[in-house]
Amino acid sequence: HPEIPSYRQVCTGSTGHVEVLQVELNDPVHFEDLIKFFFLFHDPTTMNQQGNDTGTQYASAIFVADEQQKEICQKVLNDLQNYAKGKKSPYRGKEIVTQIHDATKFYKAEEYHQEYLMKNPNGYCNHYMRLKEWPLN
């Protein structure tokens, strides 16, 4: 695998990389809220797919910095699994497939792919708000 692949190389699905958004959180108290927000617009039931985009580079994954973040993610995923099996779930499938990984080195996409939808207002985006608020409070 290339250490720093180009976006085009990642698109082949052969690099072992996953397209992700890096978020820097100043206050760890809000980490659980951030993870819940992620699942308001991300479908955690599609393996290696988001919308029309398919391949290992579109895996449903969360990369965590430490054991506490991993435990929070697992708790949220466990809670969400019960909801996903219900009839009112907005997700495509019934089983949560999101994987939790230890964070590794993050590689920024090339400049032309940064803020893609700002540069390409009519570009394809498969993310939308599937839920207006967290359904499990």
Side-chain angles (χ1 to χ4, degrees):
H1 299 309
E3 182 178 342
I4 304 175
S6 69
Y7 176 69
R8 291 286 168 223
Q9 288 173 311
V10 172
C11 286
T12 68
S14 65
T15 66
H17 292 81
V18 178
E19 281 194 24
V20 297
L21 171 69
Q22 183 180 34
V23 177
E24 294 181 14
L25 190 61
N26 293 329
D27 187 350
V29 168
H30 300 291
F31 182 74
E32 184 171 344
D33 292 334
L34 176 66
I35 297 304
K36 288 176 178 178
F37 177 76
F38 173 68
F39 290 115
L40 296 181
F41 67 86
H42 174 83
D43 187 342
T45 67
T46 53
M47 178 68 75
N48 298 330
Q49 177 180 359
Q50 287 299 307
N52 295 332
D53 297 325
T54 60
T56 56
Q57 70 273 27
Y58 299 110
S60 179
I62 299 172
F63 294 85
V64 297
D66 57 38
E67 200 60 36
Q68 182 180 11
Q69 287 184 353
K70 189 180 288 187
E71 289 172 9
I72 291 169
C73 287
Q74 194 59 60
K75 175 194 171 295
V76 171
L77 287 177
N78 290 344
D79 291 345
L80 194 60
Q81 179 57 73
N82 292 328
Y83 176 76
K85 289 180 179 178
K87 292 182 179 180
K88 294 184 179 183
S89 171
Y91 303 128
R92 186 176 291 183
K94 298 289 185 193
E95 295 296 322
I96 302 295
V97 298
T98 301
Q99 295 181 349
I100 303 167
H101 301 282
D102 292 331
T104 58
K105 184 162 177 54
F106 176 79
Y107 300 98
K108 286 179 77 171
E110 290 108 334
E111 184 57 37
Y112 77 90
H113 202 66
Q114 296 291 330
E115 298 184 8
Y116 177 78
L117 291 174
M118 296 294 286
K119 295 174 184 172
N120 301 281
N122 295 322
Y124 169 71
C125 178
N126 60 57
H127 295 294
Y128 58 90
M129 296 306 285
R130 288 171 168 81
L131 297 162
K132 291 182 181 183
E133 60 187 1
W134 188 246
L136 303 170
N137 291 331

